[in-house]
Amino acid sequence: MTAQSEPGSPADGVDKAGNPTLDDVGDKAGKVERLASVAEVVARDLCVGCGLCEAVTGGRVKMAATPGGSLRPAPTGGFSAEEERAILTACPGVIAEPRADLSLPLDPVWGRCGTMRYAWAADPGVRFVAATAGVLTALGQHLLAAGEAAFVLHVGPDPARPLRTRWVISSTPEDVLANAGSRYGPTAPLAGLGVALDRGKPFVVIAKPCDLGALHRRAAADSRINKLVVARLAMVCGGQSRLSKSQRLLDQLGVAEPDVTLIRYRGHGNPGPTRVEARDGQAFEVGYLELWEDEGTWDLETRCKLCPDALGEAADVAVADVWPGGAPTGEDEGFSGVIARSEAGESLLSRAAADGRIVLGDAIGPRDLDDMQPHQVRKKEALAARYRGMADAGVPPIAARGLRIDEMGHRLTPERAAAQRRGAADRMRAAGS
């Protein structure tokens, strides 16, 4: 059996020598109580719109689009006391912890890591069409084709409103591919969790790291999760953009949202262009670097700038872009980096490779990933200071259990730490005003 941390425990709470630690900056950064309601999480702009609220209430509270381009539960006062308690014990705006496999080596940046390899979908079509070499798509397809899962819970474009994203259940490998691709906008995969669990059949979840963190925490109250979710797959996440990012692109192209018939952010190459198609037959393509060259237009959720686990430490397998220096220099045939985070993840990668669904390439080390994902390292180093800035502004920091936030924070110079702390305090005061 894999040694997994129990939800609610100080996960991965040992140092490299095996000594117990309390690595929970959210509890230590200041004498500030935890957020007491979902409404307060939303008001403080710490909601990431994961969809857990909709699942816990059985759909009575829905995820709704906001004027600012996010997804938020509505109404925020529509919870019973019991529902609110259940949500706050798992909400990514309140708490985050790894689903730690203590048998795996611990890296200060990347957490518990087993196999770390270059990888790509073995099927050239999947590799080309899906984002980041199609590894997550291929793993979902493998689990369905092998009969290990009945369906995949993930997200895909809304056919009626392609700019928007909805949760979907894919029951065939073809369905998984049809919903493949990055979605640079708000996604709420956990809004479909209740429907998935009620089916009573084994399934896969492909989602953002914060979504899988909430799923892990929720498992303490819903035993069906650990019984039925046979694989938890995450992309290493650069942050969730608000829909305003895509709306700005449409404005630049002169296309109104009701006229959009397709928007594809990644794939059809690596990284592939962002493509927009309109009802009048016009089509536009924007290169990846052009789309993301101005960081000021990314419109990331506030919670993403404070995320203690963008690296998928609650997943069985996490998949990352592997561009040296952190950005592509052009198109290539498609390569991903895979990180096994549990015995189940190790076994899945081996089985999918043996089945001919993925190809496992050369080994990758944690310091290689530092170079390929430098923005993740910088954010991890800044979080302790940012959390102290939250506390300065009277906002409870995210309880980041077992995610080495203090350890990484020691890497900052006092000057950089002070700047990060001031910036976070200013941001939180502005969000709450």
Side-chain angles (χ1 to χ4, degrees):
M1 289 292 290
T2 300
Q4 298 282 5
S5 65
E6 292 299 320
S9 68
D12 213 9
V14 294
D15 62 20
K16 292 180 180 178
N19 301 311
T21 65
L22 176 59
D23 187 0
D24 192 343
V25 173
D27 285 340
K28 296 190 293 181
K31 295 180 179 179
V32 185
E33 297 297 325
R34 300 274 183 90
L35 292 169
S37 68
V38 174
E40 192 175 3
V41 174
V42 173
R44 293 294 192 175
D45 206 21
L46 290 174
C47 176
V48 76
C50 68
L52 180 66
C53 292
E54 186 166 333
V56 170
T57 62
R60 190 182 68 256
V61 173
K62 297 288 188 183
M63 301 305 297
T66 70
S70 299
L71 287 174
R72 298 291 184 261
T76 55
F79 305 97
S80 69
E82 181 180 359
E83 289 168 344
E84 195 138 49
R85 283 194 298 271
I87 291 165
L88 292 175
T89 62
C91 173
V94 176
I95 191 165
E97 67 182 20
R99 185 168 169 259
D101 185 336
L102 301 182
S103 69
L104 298 179
L106 176 65
D107 182 77
V109 178
W110 293 90
R112 298 284 173 181
C113 304
T115 293
M116 304 174 77
R117 302 272 289 273
Y118 286 99
W120 54 92
D123 184 319
V126 174
R127 186 181 187 184
F128 176 75
V129 168
T132 317
V135 172
L136 290 172
T137 299
L139 291 175
Q141 290 179 318
H142 162 74
L143 288 160
L144 293 180
E148 298 180 39
F151 58 89
V152 176
L153 173 64
H154 56 150
V155 299
D158 185 336
R161 299 184 299 171
L163 200 67
R164 316 283 169 141
T165 302
R166 62 176 186 171
W167 63 267
V168 295
I169 285 178
S170 293
S171 301
T172 68
E174 293 75 21
D175 291 341
V176 178
L177 182 59
N179 288 291
S182 300
R183 300 297 298 171
Y184 289 116
T187 66
L190 296 188
L193 179 62
V195 173
L197 291 170
D198 287 346
R199 290 190 171 195
K201 296 180 179 179
F203 66 100
V204 181
V205 180
I206 302 176
K208 305 184 299 298
C210 57
D211 305 324
L212 294 185
L215 181 72
H216 167 52
R217 293 282 306 175
R218 178 62 184 156
D222 192 334
S223 61
R224 297 176 299 169
I225 292 172
N226 288 337
K227 291 178 182 176
L228 296 177
V229 179
V230 297
R232 309 172 196 215
L233 309 179
M235 69 290 295
V236 170
C237 182
Q240 176 174 271
S241 296
R242 296 181 173 93
L243 197 65
S244 48
K245 169 67 178 177
S246 298
Q247 290 170 328
R248 186 178 295 110
L249 173 63
L250 294 188
D251 291 343
Q252 293 169 353
L253 299 175
V255 179
E257 184 183 348
D259 296 328
V260 174
T261 57
L262 177 144
I263 182 165
R264 184 177 65 235
Y265 298 90
R266 291 276 298 271
H268 288 250
N270 186 52
T274 293
R275 182 176 176 86
V276 176
E277 296 179 4
R279 296 188 191 282
D280 63 4
Q282 290 191 90
F284 307 87
E285 289 192 346
V286 178
Y288 180 88
L289 290 176
E290 181 183 355
L291 182 68
W292 299 104
E293 64 183 348
D294 183 359
E295 189 171 348
T297 69
W298 290 6
D299 288 351
L300 295 183
E301 298 277 6
T302 298
R303 165 56 173 73
C304 298
K305 298 171 184 177
L306 301 164
C307 181
D309 179 24
L311 309 180
E313 294 192 48
D316 292 307
V317 175
V319 178
D321 284 321
V322 286
W323 297 311
T329 56
E331 293 287 325
D332 60 40
E333 61 238 84
F335 300 92
S336 296
V338 294
I339 306 169
R341 297 210 173 273
S342 67
E343 287 183 9
E346 293 273 20
S347 177
L348 172 57
L349 291 175
S350 295
R351 297 195 313 276
D355 188 43
R357 289 284 179 178
I358 65 170
V359 177
L360 294 176
D362 292 342
I364 301 174
R367 304 292 73 79
D368 297 321
L369 281 174
D370 288 352
D371 174 63
M372 297 163 180
Q373 297 274 339
H375 54 291
Q376 300 289 7
V377 180
R378 290 193 296 268
K379 181 166 68 174
K380 199 88 169 183
E381 291 172 342
L383 282 179
R386 291 180 183 180
Y387 284 7
R388 292 181 174 93
M390 293 175 71
D392 292 343
V395 179
I398 299 166
R401 295 178 171 176
L403 291 164
R404 307 164 307 283
I405 303 306
D406 263 344
E407 180 180 352
M408 292 295 295
H410 293 319
R411 297 185 178 190
L412 289 191
T413 65
E415 293 77 16
R416 285 182 63 202
Q420 292 289 338
R421 183 170 182 168
R422 286 193 302 270
D426 291 345
R427 182 180 297 116
M428 299 315 300
R429 291 185 182 109
S433 61

